[in-house]
Amino acid sequence: MIRLEEIVDEILSYNSDADVDYVRKAYIFSAKVHLGQKRQSGEPYLSHPIEVAMILAHMRMDVVTIAAGLLHDTLEDTPTTPEELNEFFGPDLTYLVQALTKISKIQFKTKEAQQAENFRKMIIAMGRDIRVIVIKLADRLHNMRTLEHLRPAKQEAISQETQDIYAPLANRLGIGWMKSELEDLCFKYLKPDKYREIEQQVAKRREELEEYIRDLKKIVERSLKEQGYTADVKGRPKHFYSIYLKMDRQKVTFDEVYDLLALRIILPDNDKTACYGVLGLIHSLWPPVAGRFKDYISVPKSNLYQSLHTTVLGPKGERVEFQIRTEEMDKVAEEGIAAHWKYKEKSSIGEKDDQRFAWLRQLMESQQDIKDDREFLDTLRLDLFSDVVYVFTPRGDVREFPRGSTPIDFAYSIHSDIGDQCVGARVNGKIVPLRQELETGDVVEIQTQTGHNPSRDWLKHVKTAKAKTRIKHWLKIEEHRQSVELGQELLEKELRRHNLPTSKLTKPEELGRILPEFNCPSDEQLFAEIGSGKVSSLAVVRALAPETVKAEEKSEKSFFSKLIKKTAKTPEKGVKISGIDNVMIHYSKCCSPIPGDEIIGFITRGRGITIHAADCPNVTGVAFDRERMVKVDWEQAEQAKIKAYTARITVFTVDKPGILAKITSAITESEANINQAQVSALEGKKAVCNFSVEIDNREHLGRLMKRIDQLDGVLEVKRVMS
Ligand code: MN
């Protein structure tokens, strides 16, 4: 059993002014009230609180926390009352022990889906003081270290709870060593076979691994020295659970896990630039593995972890991971929140730390205002499942966003106008694309330009409801404006086609006369309806000048109406019409144009625009009115992704068995779908096969036709365009 004086020495080693008598008093109190109690192992119960206190001392906590570690089970397991604790040790310690007692009574649910609720209970019990969690983690760590003395069922239940709740919590607070140790202990009890397997394998290769690490260290240390760096190099095999995860995720055996080794290079002083210099040095020694470099220095993790990670192919061709960081970063990585909570006289934590942990304080404070259980769960889920990021304004105010939010969300959170007019952003002083996701700790600055407007594209890059609503609102207005413009244009064209006076008939008094007929409250609305294809321009002209239209229609054989009947009815995307979006589009069935074909649009009567191939005989024929043609282009960016296009091909072959099977498999191998196939025999031992296929674009069709053409027995392949 650890002696009291060992704890005292440990505390004095990092704080010579510590009130160690306070800790001595707590020890004596605890020894007295736990007297006679035993643990499952047969040891005196006191050994447990003492070990917990020692863990806390190793974490360099303050004396109140360490004393609370010594007394953490007194309220629950002994007749001690809160009043007594308060009298002897003061309100802070009493609060901590009471909160810990509350936590010990929580029934946690182990299902992952219940995690939010678990965290919630824990945080409510923890209340305002985060030290409660630190003590609870130390308590759990010692219990896990001594789990072997319990019954197997109990071992499993406690391990599961630890894996579900405490290991993630240690990670969340950035206490890296504790997270790893808890994970390995859980692994040992939850998957004993797998654990033993890895343990044995690592043992078998231990000597070899250690020698390898020594060699690597020597090389790295020598190069660092040559380049004038002073740095500490540490090597270690990875922890078992992370090896296991690797094997499990990548479905590989132990022998196939290459990066069993990680070397850490720790630079003195807080010199970030030197980290990048050392990174370059490592890459000059051994080739880096592509895709394995991570820069957590410029983009820290949400638990404030900072480091450079890279994996290289070492001297024996094995993968070795390097972590490069400064001393301070290493401290944060290993101790996390505890690094910021270590003993600091009577003064409170530094202002910078205070701001960094604003999220945690906010969380603790906010839980008091939320009455509704459901609402709390939702908030909490956001908060604890790292679904949320906290970023700063240039003035240092903290703002909260759902994970995945971008500078656009940030801009809208300041003001709608700033959002609408935002053209660029700086994150931590660097210009970044507007779609870049924000990370906790980012300082964000927005650049605006008067008159700039949101784009539809932004919708893909925003997460907050406010930004989405504003952008959609603006797009609606914009679409309406475009419809009005197009509608007016279409109406004027239609009037000209009938040789009617355009300016006279589009005057408000003329239009006002016919508005009720179309159920429209205003001219603008009528134009919008024409522009969006809901009302045909011809119908409006007919209403404006019924006599003229009637006379014309008698003489005109309705060629168009026949044609229109043939066109598809569903609106589709994929083409761009002289810069105008959102017009109803149909692809003509006569020539079935596909991306890559030259195309032309034809304004139909009341049915939007039909797209034809530019050389479609129906278009080149005299019957079409040139006035109603519009220039259209395939939308570059998204072509082919929107849908498959239909094309028809005819294949002439020799008539022999199996030829159809060959052609169809050539088509499917080209990754095209066959909608329809039809084969007929011709004279002279020949056959003709007609296919309707779904393809991405003209290039795809070209590849497919070439493939068919090369088949044995195929005489000719043609695309059918009419
Ligand atoms: Mn305990």
Side-chain angles (χ1 to χ4, degrees), residues 32-283:
K32 213 163 74 190
V33 295
H34 284 301
L35 189 69
Q37 294 177 344
K38 287 217 164 18
R39 297 198 92 209
Q40 288 288 335
S41 60
E43 277 186 286
Y45 193 85
L46 188 64
S47 65
H48 169 64
I50 288 181
E51 290 282 355
V52 172
M54 195 58 172
I55 292 170
L56 292 167
H58 281 314
M59 292 170 79
R60 301 172 154 243
M61 301 304 286
D62 62 310
V63 288
V64 175
T65 308
I66 294 167
L70 284 167
L71 296 166
H72 77 271
D73 280 329
T74 54
L75 288 183
E76 197 180 359
D77 297 337
T78 76
T80 311
T81 63
E83 290 70 32
E84 282 174 90
L85 286 185
N86 199 21
E87 191 192 327
F88 290 112
F89 301 101
D92 275 7
L93 181 138
T94 309
Y95 182 85
L96 293 174
V97 177
Q98 277 182 308
L100 284 157
T101 309
K102 268 192 234 163
I103 290 180
S104 72
K105 296 206 171 104
I106 299 174
Q107 286 283 322
F108 290 113
K109 300 187 177 165
T110 43
K111 256 207 251 144
E112 227 172 78
Q114 310 289 344
Q115 260 200 3
E117 202 188 328
N118 290 334
F119 276 124
R120 174 200 179 206
K121 288 175 178 169
M122 177 107 82
I123 278 172
I124 288 174
M126 175 179 95
R128 58 185 149 82
D129 200 332
I130 185 138
R131 288 178 296 182
V132 174
I133 282 203
V134 178
I135 302 168
K136 183 66 212 172
L137 285 170
D139 176 32
R140 177 51 59 108
L141 180 61
H142 183 244
N143 285 334
M144 286 300 296
R145 283 176 180 171
T146 52
L147 204 59
E148 64 199 52
H149 304 291
L150 300 191
R151 281 178 290 114
K154 203 95 200 190
Q155 289 175 343
E156 204 186 315
I158 292 176
S159 298
Q160 192 64 53
E161 188 183 82
T162 304
Q163 188 172 23
D164 288 346
I165 296 160
Y166 294 102
L169 205 53
N171 182 43
R172 180 77 209 198
L173 300 186
I175 313 173
W177 68 270
M178 189 183 280
K179 173 205 163 226
S180 300
E181 190 176 341
L182 286 175
E183 276 180 354
D184 269 1
L185 286 165
C186 295
F187 178 40
K188 182 173 166 185
Y189 290 101
L190 291 174
K191 295 216 159 53
D193 296 346
K194 292 270 186 323
Y195 181 89
R196 223 166 298 129
E197 181 195 327
I198 291 176
E199 189 182 35
Q200 280 164 6
Q201 299 271 26
V202 170
K204 212 160 60 182
R205 291 182 59 186
R206 170 139 292 160
E207 234 165 82
E208 176 201 340
L209 288 173
E210 275 169 3
E211 197 190 309
Y212 191 47
I213 288 179
R214 269 199 302 278
D215 291 350
L216 281 173
K217 260 184 77 171
K218 245 185 250 158
I219 302 175
V220 172
E221 275 165 350
R222 197 177 47 227
S223 308
L224 284 169
K225 213 169 161 192
E226 277 167 16
Q227 299 297 319
Y229 290 109
T230 40
D232 195 9
V233 184
K234 291 179 188 166
R236 56 171 178 102
K238 292 197 167 166
H239 76 281
F240 291 178
Y241 188 61
S242 77
I243 295 175
Y244 166 71
L245 284 183
K246 215 158 234 170
M247 288 166 62
D248 193 51
R249 270 188 213 135
Q250 301 172 358
K251 300 268 168 278
V252 294
T253 65
F254 182 83
D255 289 325
E256 291 166 309
V257 178
Y258 289 113
D259 38 355
L260 294 170
L261 304 177
L263 265 82
R264 192 175 292 166
I265 302 177
I266 298 159
L267 292 147
D269 309 322
N270 198 22
D271 186 0
K272 277 186 204 174
T273 343
C275 293
Y276 292 96
V278 170
L279 176 78
L281 183 74
I282 297 297
H283 284 177

Side-chain angles (χ1 to χ4, degrees), residues 456 475 479 482-483 486 531 575-585 635:
R456 174 172 292 278
L475 288 173
E479 266 162 32
Q482 286 179 352
S483 294
L486 179 68
V575 290
K576 191 170 191 175
I577 298 163
S578 339
I580 300 167
D581 277 334
N582 310 310
V583 182
M584 270 169 71
I585 304 277
E635 190 120 49

Side-chain angles (χ1 to χ4, degrees), residues 131 162 245 305 415 573 598 719:
R131 288 178 296 182
T162 304
L245 284 183
Y305 177 88
H415 195 280
K573 286 181 191 163
E598 255 208 78
R719 178 168 170 206

Side-chain angles (χ1 to χ4, degrees), residues 212 216 220 238 258-263 265 278-293 309-324:
Y212 191 47
L216 281 173
V220 172
K238 292 197 167 166
Y258 289 113
D259 38 355
L260 294 170
L261 304 177
L263 265 82
I265 302 177
V278 170
L279 176 78
L281 183 74
I282 297 297
H283 284 177
S284 73
L285 287 172
W286 298 292
V289 177
R292 293 298 304 269
F293 170 62
H309 287 191
T310 188
T311 301
V312 299
L313 292 176
K316 290 184 187 166
E318 288 205 290
R319 289 173 176 226
V320 182
E321 185 182 281
F322 278 90
Q323 300 174 348
I324 305 162

Side-chain angles (χ1 to χ4, degrees), residues 393-583:
T393 68
R395 284 164 51 204
D397 297 331
V398 186
R399 277 169 200 259
E400 181 189 314
F401 294 93
R403 178 160 294 277
S405 294
T406 59
I408 306 171
D409 289 294
F410 182 91
Y412 275 107
S413 82
I414 298 172
H415 195 280
S416 310
D417 291 344
I418 298 202
D420 285 347
Q421 298 176 1
C422 109
V423 288
R426 278 171 189 274
V427 169
N428 306 324
K430 264 183 267 167
I431 293 175
V432 300
L434 284 175
R435 59 170 191 282
Q436 174 162 315
E437 293 185 5
L438 299 175
E439 296 277 347
T440 289
D442 282 350
V443 179
V444 188
E445 217 175 315
I446 296 295
Q447 292 154 332
T448 57
Q449 198 181 323
T450 332
H452 186 267
N453 294 315
S455 82
R456 174 172 292 278
D457 197 45
W458 285 7
L459 281 176
K460 282 187 242 156
H461 303 300
V462 295
K463 275 279 183 301
T464 54
K466 184 170 183 194
K468 275 187 196 156
T469 317
R470 278 294 303 191
I471 297 167
K472 280 190 190 149
H473 176 70
W474 196 89
L475 288 173
K476 228 183 199 164
I477 294 176
E478 183 58 16
E479 266 162 32
H480 181 74
R481 195 185 62 77
Q482 286 179 352
S483 294
V484 171
E485 223 169 69
L486 179 68
Q488 189 161 9
E489 215 172 286
L490 290 174
L491 179 61
E492 283 168 8
K493 266 191 175 176
E494 190 67 33
L495 286 166
R496 276 199 298 275
R497 206 177 69 83
H498 293 274
N499 293 315
L500 290 163
T502 324
S503 46
K504 187 182 160 238
L505 287 177
T506 49
K507 277 201 175 118
E509 51 276 26
E510 287 291 330
L511 289 173
R513 194 162 50 75
I514 62 157
L515 286 178
E517 198 176 321
F518 295 96
N519 241 335
C520 284
S522 65
D523 303 357
E524 194 186 290
Q525 190 56 36
L526 182 63
F527 290 143
E529 305 253 299
I530 300 171
S532 59
K534 283 182 201 145
V535 167
S536 85
S537 51
L538 179 65
V540 177
V541 172
R542 202 183 272 136
L544 284 168
E547 298 308 320
T548 317
V549 178
K550 217 177 271 168
E552 276 176 6
E553 276 180 348
K554 258 185 204 156
S555 62
E556 188 182 342
K557 268 292 152 219
S558 192
F559 174 84
F560 297 120
S561 54
K562 278 187 209 153
L563 185 67
I564 287 159
K565 268 185 202 142
K566 282 179 159 184
T567 62
K569 288 209 173 110
T570 41
E572 288 157 354
K573 286 181 191 163
V575 290
K576 191 170 191 175
I577 298 163
S578 339
I580 300 167
D581 277 334
N582 310 310
V583 182

